[in-house]
Amino acid sequence: MVRPFIRIVSLLLLLAVSSDSRAATITLGASQDGTIYSNHINRGSGGGNALIVGTNGRDAPRRALIEFDVAGQVPAGAVIQNVKLTMVMGQLPTEPEEFSTIELHRVSASWGEGTTQQQNPPNDSFGGMGQGAPA
């Protein structure tokens, strides 16, 4: 099975702000993101070009971590009325009967993004990201 690669585009928040309830829209990019690998617990990809989710050919899970600084960007007293997460799938499974479902779960512990697998010079390649690199 081919692992899906995703890129975070934005988190769009529709807010009601201040006492006159005027609407505002805020677009946030991820404040940090990275990929963790269950079969390589000391490896990661914090600076890579994409996030990897799903499993590899040996059913070893890969999980993407994404953080948005909502509290630091939403005005005090604002009420969030709607949220839209936009992601772009960069690679899909190759078998026609396979499909990809991406689920979201809250992360309850702090983590650091780091610069593991950062491309220099920057490029759009996903190559070499499947196993991570020493964190």
Side-chain angles (χ1 to χ4, degrees):
M1 176 179 180
V2 175
R3 296 169 303 279
F5 290 87
I6 58 175
R7 291 181 190 217
I8 300 306
V9 176
S10 65
L11 182 68
L12 183 68
L13 304 172
L14 178 61
L15 311 170
V17 292
S18 76
S19 60
D20 62 5
S21 294
R22 34 183 192 99
T25 301
I26 297 175
T27 302
L28 302 177
S31 55
Q32 65 176 355
D33 58 33
T35 300
I36 55 176
Y37 305 83
S38 71
N39 62 325
H40 296 294
I41 61 172
N42 294 318
R43 292 176 170 239
S45 180
N49 292 334
L51 301 169
I52 302 173
V53 297
T55 59
N56 68 0
R58 297 185 178 139
D59 291 329
R62 276 80 173 102
R63 298 294 181 253
L65 302 172
I66 308 164
E67 179 180 88
F68 295 95
D69 183 16
V70 176
Q73 300 296 316
V74 174
V79 176
I80 299 174
Q81 296 177 321
N82 193 3
V83 176
K84 178 181 177 183
L85 175 65
T86 303
M87 299 188 299
V88 174
M89 188 75 70
Q91 183 176 345
L92 300 171
T94 55
E95 300 298 321
E97 66 276 359
E98 293 182 27
F99 62 91
S100 297
T101 299
I102 307 296
E103 296 179 3
L104 300 176
H105 301 274
R106 178 183 290 269
V107 175
S108 59
S110 296
W111 54 279
E113 177 179 37
T115 58
T116 303
Q117 294 194 311
Q118 189 170 31
Q119 302 297 312
N120 192 8
N123 61 59
D124 289 332
S125 172
F126 297 147
M129 291 183 54
Q131 299 301 318

